[in-house]
Amino acid sequence: MSSLLSIALMAFLAVTSTASPLAANSKPSTTAASAPTYTPLTPAEIKGLQTELLLAPSYKDKEKVLFPPNNGGSANNVSFQFVPSNGPAPQDGSVIVGSVDSIPGLIGTNVAAAIGFIGPCGLNVPHLHPRGNEFLTVVSGTLIGAFLLEPDGPFVGDVPQVAMTLSNYTGMLFPQGHTHWQFNPTCEQAVFSAAFDSNDEGRFQVAQTFFSSMPDNVLTASLGNPTFLGPKQLDQLRGIIPSAFVVMVDSCAKACGIKTA
C-alpha cells in the first residue's frame, strides 16, 4: 500500500511540474538581464521633471510624472550613476552628490546620498550641512571622522570634539549643523558612501564662509581685534583658502613621500 502511494505521489509531482497551468499562462518576470539600463538625464530634462513634480498635487500624480506609461517600465528618473562605468576613474578629492539637483525623483523624499574619494593624506575640509544629518560609511581604506559639539554655556577654551577611526564598512553620524571633517591618515585612497535625511542638505565650508564675511571689522572684532590682522592680511588669507572640498595635509604627505606644491 505504501509503495502504491509513493508511486502515485511521484506521478502527481511529475505532472504538475511539467504541465502547470500557472507556469504555462504566466508572463516571465522582469530580470536583471531584461531591465532597462541607466541613461543620464540632460539639464533640461532634470529642470522639466523638477517643475512637474513640484506642481504635482498628489503622490499618484508624481508617479505619473516619474513613470509615464510610455517609458517601458523604466526607473531611470529615480536612478543615478555616481561614477560612469565608461568614464575616467574619479580623481582623489572628488565628492559626487546625488540630490534634487541631479535626481528629480528625490523631491519630497528627504533623501540624498554621496560617494567620496579621498586620496592619501586628503582632508575633507571642516564643513557643515545646514539642512541634513549625514551618516558616512567607509567602504575602502581608512578615514578619521570628527565633529564639534555644541558648547555648554559661555565659550571658554576649545569647543569639545569627538572623533572615530573609520574603516572596513564602519559608519558614523555627523549631526545636522555641526562642523565636521574627515581625514585620510594613510598613504592609500579611501572611499566613502554618505546618506542624508534631506534631499537638499547643503554645505558650508567653515574657513571659506567665515573669511568671506564683510566688512573687515566684523571679522577682526570676531577674532578679538588682533593687531597683526588688518585688511591686507585678511585679503591674503582669502586668497589662499581653498575652495575645493578636499585638500592635502602636508605633514602626512611628507611621511608618504608625496610631493606638494
Side-chain angles (χ1 to χ4, degrees):
M1 184 69 177
S2 60
S3 61
L4 290 175
L5 287 174
S6 298
I7 293 171
L9 179 60
M10 291 175 65
F12 173 76
L13 292 174
V15 171
T16 55
S17 63
T18 57
S20 169
L22 180 62
N25 296 328
S26 62
K27 295 180 180 179
S29 60
T30 300
T31 65
S34 64
T37 56
Y38 176 72
T39 302
L41 298 173
T42 66
E45 288 173 329
I46 291 174
K47 195 66 177 177
L49 284 169
Q50 289 172 335
T51 301
E52 289 187 72
L53 288 168
L54 290 171
L55 293 174
S58 69
Y59 180 79
K60 291 302 296 181
D61 290 320
K62 288 180 170 62
E63 277 194 343
K64 292 175 184 178
V65 172
L66 292 170
F67 316 111
N70 61 352
N71 80 338
S74 172
N76 201 76
N77 290 336
V78 292
S79 302
F80 183 66
Q81 190 169 23
F82 288 88
V83 181
S85 56
N86 58 350
Q91 295 182 345
D92 288 341
S94 300
V95 179
I96 303 100
V97 179
S99 66
V100 288
D101 292 330
S102 51
I103 314 173
L106 294 182
I107 289 176
T109 65
N110 295 326
V111 171
I115 300 292
F117 302 83
I118 301 183
C121 303
L123 170 70
N124 190 4
V125 298
H127 62 282
L128 61 88
H129 303 292
R131 294 181 294 276
N133 295 286
E134 173 184 10
F135 194 88
L136 180 147
T137 302
V138 172
V139 296
S140 175
T142 299
L143 291 176
I144 295 175
F147 64 86
L148 301 179
L149 301 177
E150 183 176 352
D152 184 12
F155 174 76
V156 178
D158 294 336
V159 176
Q161 175 178 273
V162 294
M164 179 62 60
T165 298
L166 308 173
S167 61
N168 299 323
Y169 299 98
T170 306
M172 177 177 173
L173 171 69
F174 296 92
Q176 176 179 346
H178 284 246
T179 297
H180 61 280
W181 50 267
Q182 295 94 24
F183 169 54
N184 179 358
T186 76
C187 304
E188 304 292 334
Q189 186 190 64
V191 181
F192 70 80
S193 173
F196 300 92
D197 63 353
S198 167
N199 57 20
D200 186 21
E201 74 287 346
R203 175 176 171 128
F204 286 131
Q205 299 194 181
V206 175
Q208 186 183 46
T209 301
F210 180 75
F211 283 97
S212 296
S213 300
M214 293 291 179
D216 288 347
N217 58 3
V218 172
L219 283 174
T220 53
S222 300
L223 296 170
N225 294 306
T227 57
F228 59 83
L229 194 61
K232 182 179 179 180
Q233 289 75 24
L234 287 174
D235 286 341
Q236 289 175 336
L237 281 172
R238 293 186 180 107
I240 63 174
I241 294 174
S243 59
F245 281 9
V246 180
V247 298
M248 190 172 293
V249 176
D250 285 346
S251 58
C252 174
K254 290 178 181 178
C256 289
I258 302 172
K259 293 183 179 180
T260 57

